[in-house]
Amino acid sequence: MLMLTGGTLNCLPAAATKTDVLETIKDLMQVNGKVVDEKGDAIIGATVAVDGTSLKTITDVEGNFTLSNVRRGAMMSVSYIGYERTFVKAAKDVSIELKQDDHQLKEVVVVGYGRMQRKDITSSITTVNSDDLNKGVFTTPAEMLQGKVPGLTVTTSSNPNEPNSSVILRGASTLREGDAMQPYYIVDGIPGVDLSLVAADDIESIDVLRDATATAIYGSKAANGVIIVTTKKGKRGSAHVSYNGYVAIDNVAKDIKLATADDLRNYAKANNFTLPSDEGANTDWQKQVERTGISHSHNLAVSGGNDRSNYNVSLNYVDRQGIIRNTDNKTFGARAMAQSRVLKDHLTLALGINANQTTAEGVVNGIKGMSVTDAMVYYSPLQPVRNADGSWFGSTSVTNYFNPVSMINEDTQKNVYKRMQITGKADLRIVDGLTLSANYSYMADQNTYSQYHSTKSQIVNTNGQATRNTYQNNKSVFELYGNYDTTIAKMHRLGVMLGYSWEENNNNDGFGLTVKDFYNDNLKWYNLSYANSIDGMDAVESGAESTLRMISFFGRLNYSFNSKYNLQATVRRDGSSAFGKNNRWGTFPSVSAAWRLCEENFVKNLNVFNDLKLRVGYGVSGNSQGFDAYTAIRTYGTSGWFSYTDANGQTSQKHTLGALSNANPDLKWERTGMFNVGLDFSVLNNRLSGTIEYYDKRTSDLIYDYPVSTNRYPYGLMTANVGDISNKGVEITINAIPVKTKAFEWSTTLNLSHNNNVVEKLSNATYSVKYIDEASPELSGNHGVYVQRLMEGCPIGQFYTYEWAGYDKNGTSQYYVHDANTGERTGETTIDPQDKDRTKVGSAQPKLTLGWNNTLTYNNWSLNMFFQGVFGNKVFNGLRAQGNAITMLSQGKNVFAEALTEQRYGDVNSQKPSDRYIENGSYLRLSSMTLTYRFGKIGDWVNNLSVYATCNNVFTLTSFKGTDPEVNLGGLTPGIVWRNNYYPRTRTFMVGMKVNF
């Protein structure tokens, strides 16, 4: 028998009597109630639901509600945004009071060497929980933060073997590339961890410390910001098993429009010239090189615990296939963390083991045409992939001309990265409020690189050539610190932290070898002894192991008066062996304060703000990233060969030794001082909240290699502190829930960032340069011509090149002439521009970056749409410039389709680097769209099940003429589409599931 109970169909036994049915009906009633806040005011739109049923409603304009067919004694839950969820027993007449939910204010935020409630934070810190991270096929967790944090500019690549995403926080503040421009990563309290060790599914949350008052506690490594990753831990209860996996398909989002074979033949006929090496083919080289990439990921985790112990073990496997053939990345990782409390819960011990191995297979991307993606653009469609006998087609009459499919198959390379970390932690609660913590971490990594040019290679003609090298690094970190927290008279909250840190890095221990002339290609690089030839000692490479040590002392003081006035001060004293003997120590202080205006009566009486806090602070941090033990001392190494004749008249070749660097005993830390002021607010019962920030970030004593006289120094460059850089910006974050009903909710988060980057100084009285030329795109016939310049008063990424002036009477591209003294145009034009004719033509630095996240929820369905954008920046399209070199047709190469209509035949200057190829790089992209259905609990063995489908790179709005406007915005040469390492942007479709047992 079926009957309706509490809005659901319930089954009665088949033998149920009429009496049973009547008794059941008697248990049902109508509930009338009212929902009010702590002041007794009605709450409109609160959701009232009967647990275990689908019966629910919302309150009317007077806070009243009615529910029918409610079983007596049933539990009802009452919820409304900004208030704590309340549970009450069903009754005929109920009055329910909701208390304001200050969970967000009580939320615990991870800070350096501790945790704090968000309401007490005086610094600029953004927290991104795992559910809010980007979804997609990513190489590193850093890519999951793109567009999620104001001021954090993340540039991603579709290349599965791209070693690192470009991550810049609040503008570049150094003239050194690599790690020196990256944020400092902390994982579970361990500093300096390689983020590649962390699987995306193991992340619980990420805290981004954005201003110097938050980062100064990490001193000399925090100038570029600090990103703290917290991984998932075991929880009390029986063992839980979870699985998260997906399958993804990648396709090229937009191919280059190249001239086809028919286009070339028609163009040659129209311009009355003969195409060289027309083999009668019609080859689409992009289709020959590209493919559909299929990727899959699997994460299996087991966790559990009891009152005193917990554990979490996870296995992760990612197989990512690139859309360029033979570009693949496979990573297998394992992570285990166990924690236990002993000594009557006074001592907490934790042990963690983390390891992974990545195998990355790739294709060559060298200069002078030795790049697969460059070759698929320039190789002629008139020529076939293979000859009639099955061998690779090739043409020796054309310089720097290599069959791209041949390179994919005959010029192979592989990197194997092995990473391992062991951590141990101990927290001793001495008395209430006083905890002493210690942690130790040992990290080791090894990279083995292998390359083989086969006997059929068109790049290396040595009858087979193999290269193999291996390098390893290790790092040890020990930290000891204590935290004391106390409350005095219920109004004064005091926190003190003191600590010590010791760190040792051993890097660049390794060697390599290149051999050639093999009998066959069967073994590739796996047995170098099978080669018949080696180029003596020139074929041997070796690293010089570098041991770098650092010790630090640090402390923090926090004070809060009645949660209304908050003050924080930190200081760190670092000593490093990387710097000159006169400047091995540096001090990095900070001070910040916050005024919670919402606690003042004059704000409370407005009845507008749920939270209102003003923050202000100033801090100093440093940048010691990217240095080794030899940076500040004089070094010598091999510089060539000479003939040596010994006493017996025997002549042999010996290495000459020469200086490789000069000593600088005064080399010291780069120092970044940052002033930050921020306003946090929340209104409409927390349905609308946000943050407004302003910062002024100035870096002094920039380190760069300056030319010096070899009459005075043994080497021609000196590593010295000279320059200054400034970054000023505004950041805005808005969080809102515009719509909420009993079945539907729309939540949205918008963040906007503006940064102004300026190189303030490049020279001083001792070391002087007028400017530094950067970024030679290596265009055909223009070797050594640069398109960017570092100079005072301009940003990093200042484009400085020729100005295109159309065509002369012969149809040749001409350029404006500039006065050598004033830099202004003279009114003349030339087809042979000189260096003096270069000028400022735009900047690669964006004026505005945007991230906009929207989540629409309807019952068990949710749709997430994430938009990401960059505006106001310029991009030099070097790939397009090369593809417009119309003279390549007479060489037997291909060009862009646009070159046949926009260029004049015979124009030898069509590809010359100029503002003609500097384009607007602004774009707005629907970066990802995810549809999820949550089944919830299924039976007694599935606690939660959800399935999802995601599309990445859905569409892009832009005027950029290239295939994709998202280019690297980090380093000293941002904003350039390079011809040699071009990798097409993909569109990804993925389906996955998450299940917990």
Side-chain angles (χ1 to χ4, degrees), residues 872-917:
N873 61 311
K874 298 295 184 181
V875 173
F876 180 79
N877 195 339
L879 187 66
R880 180 170 166 255
Q882 177 70 14
N884 274 268
I886 200 71
T887 55
M888 291 200 300
L889 295 181
S890 61
Q891 300 172 23
K893 298 180 180 179
N894 198 19
V895 294
F896 278 24
E898 68 177 66
L900 303 183
T901 56
E902 296 185 12
Q903 308 298 336
R904 309 288 177 86
Y905 178 67
D907 183 359
V908 297
N909 282 343
S910 60
Q911 77 280 13
K912 191 172 287 292
S914 69
D915 63 347
R916 188 181 189 185
Y917 302 109

Side-chain angles (χ1 to χ4, degrees), residues 27 39 60 155 184 188 336 474 542 609 616 669 855 870 957 975 991:
D27 286 341
K39 297 179 181 179
D60 60 20
T155 307
Y184 191 50
D188 291 332
N474 64 74
S542 180
F609 295 97
V616 63
W669 316 82
T855 301
V870 174
L957 304 177
V991 292

Side-chain angles (χ1 to χ4, degrees), residues 173-182 223-224 623-626 670:
S173 57
T174 183
L175 298 180
R176 298 175 297 113
E177 297 187 284
D179 289 344
M181 277 197 176
Q182 295 287 313
N224 299 314
N623 191 346
S624 63
Q625 300 287 80
E670 292 180 335

